[in-house]
Amino acid sequence: MNNTNSSRFKDKAFRVFGLSAIIFCMLTLVIFIGFIIYQGAGRLSWDFMTSLPSRFAERSGIYTAWIGTLWVLVLTTLISFPLGVGAGIYLEEYGNKGKLSKLLEINIANLAGVPSIIYGLLGLQVFVRMMKMGNSILAGALTLALLILPIIIVSTREALRAVPSSIKEASVALGASKWQTIWKQTLPASFGGILTGVILAISRAVGETAPLIVIGALAYVPFVPESPFDEFTVLPIQIFNWVSRPQHEFAINAAAAIIVLLFITFLMNGIAVYLRNRWQQKINW
């Protein structure tokens, strides 16, 4: 077998291997999601969405959990979006391209891979104990904001780098200042990529359980939070609480709650894809 035939054989073998891996992953995902839908779809109802938690499975609902999830989601977005995007703009457009900048860039990239439990311990020490926030929604949102900030910073910088340098040079040549160039040219051209990274980062925060358990988020909350300083629970913790119980009825409740959580995650990912495609269609370089 000559080199040409060998290369063709390897190419076909890799294609078969890659296709097989995709099919295996998709089948596994379909089986898992299908089993969850089969088990929990019958439990979904308006009463399930609006009922408080209970020790009786047939009476228990996720009202406090999904309201708490929305509180945490909104606060996390409000905290992480301006900080992460602002830091990404500064590091990419204003920061010096020296050794310190490279070291900082490496550390930010490494922070994106740190286990979430570490951020939970940091949030417990800083927000819960030192800043006396207690087991509040605000403490949970700040902890999750720390978790996703590196992801937002990295995605912002990558989106800014994707803008052709000719756009920036043309703007400066016409007399625009650096900030005017960023605000009027660079940000609009890169906003689709930035927004996609932000939404995907927040989608990760929606499903996090470990950091919130560490800071003291409760598994049972018999009231709806009304302010950022109230105690709270979220859907992942409610699901964890139900699956840890031996009764099969609570496992059905957990499957129904997983469907709601998956719907929220898929909805956010769908919004990210839609906004990215819409912004890309508007840009003509």
Side-chain angles (χ1 to χ4, degrees):
M1 182 181 295
N2 55 36
N3 292 334
T4 302
N5 293 334
S6 177
S7 299
R8 290 177 179 175
F9 174 78
K10 291 179 180 178
D11 182 61
K12 292 181 180 180
F14 183 77
R15 287 183 181 180
V16 172
F17 174 77
L19 182 61
S20 301
I22 293 174
I23 294 174
F24 175 78
C25 293
M26 293 300 296
L27 284 177
T28 304
L29 182 62
V30 168
I31 291 172
F32 283 156
I33 295 180
F35 177 76
I36 291 171
I37 294 175
Y38 171 78
Q39 190 174 31
R43 185 70 178 88
L44 287 175
S45 65
W46 183 248
D47 289 336
F48 180 72
M49 297 293 295
T50 58
S51 297
L52 298 176
S54 172
R55 60 179 178 174
F56 302 103
E58 63 276 5
R59 301 179 186 175
S60 189
I62 59 171
Y63 186 49
T64 57
W66 74 262
I67 292 294
T69 298
L70 290 181
W71 266 103
V72 172
L73 181 63
V74 171
L75 285 178
T76 301
T77 304
L78 292 177
I79 295 168
S80 61
F81 181 79
L83 291 178
V85 174
I89 292 173
Y90 175 80
L91 291 173
E92 187 62 29
E93 300 293 340
Y94 291 96
N96 296 325
K97 306 300 180 180
K99 293 183 178 180
L100 181 61
S101 177
K102 292 182 180 180
L103 180 63
L104 184 61
E105 183 177 351
I106 293 173
N107 287 329
I108 291 174
N110 289 336
L111 285 174
V114 171
S116 59
I117 189 69
I118 305 300
Y119 289 97
L121 295 173
L122 179 63
L124 174 65
Q125 181 62 33
V126 176
F127 303 127
V128 176
R129 295 176 179 174
M130 293 179 61
M131 301 182 68
K132 307 296 183 182
M133 292 183 181
N135 307 329
S136 65
I137 296 175
L138 184 58
L142 287 169
T143 302
L144 292 180
L146 287 179
L147 172 66
I148 65 176
L149 266 178
I151 303 174
I152 296 176
I153 293 173
V154 171
S155 63
T156 299
R157 296 191 67 182
E158 292 299 328
L160 293 173
R161 287 174 184 172
V163 178
S165 58
S166 58
I167 300 293
K168 305 176 186 178
E169 294 169 357
S171 177
V172 173
L174 292 174
S177 65
K178 190 175 186 64
W179 172 245
Q180 288 175 329
T181 300
I182 294 172
W183 184 253
K184 297 293 185 178
Q185 301 297 329
T186 308
L187 275 181
S190 61
F191 192 70
I194 293 174
L195 199 58
T196 300
V198 171
I199 294 178
L200 294 179
I202 295 172
S203 298
R204 177 191 174 186
V206 169
E208 287 292 346
T209 306
L212 299 180
I213 292 177
V214 171
I215 66 171
L218 303 177
Y220 175 75
V221 177
F223 56 86
V224 177
E226 298 179 352
S227 76
F229 300 99
D230 290 342
E231 294 181 336
F232 71 104
T233 189
V234 291
L235 279 171
I237 292 181
Q238 186 66 70
I239 293 169
F240 172 78
N241 181 33
W242 279 337
V243 297
S244 62
R245 298 189 180 188
Q247 296 91 339
H248 179 67
E249 291 79 8
F250 283 108
I252 296 177
N253 286 355
I258 290 172
I259 294 174
V260 176
L261 187 60
L262 285 174
F263 174 78
I264 294 174
T265 304
F266 290 158
L267 178 63
M268 295 184 64
N269 290 335
I271 292 173
V273 173
Y274 170 76
L275 292 175
R276 181 188 62 194
N277 293 337
R278 185 176 178 182
W279 276 93
Q280 287 177 348
Q281 291 174 0
K282 290 182 178 181
I283 299 172
N284 293 317
W285 286 333

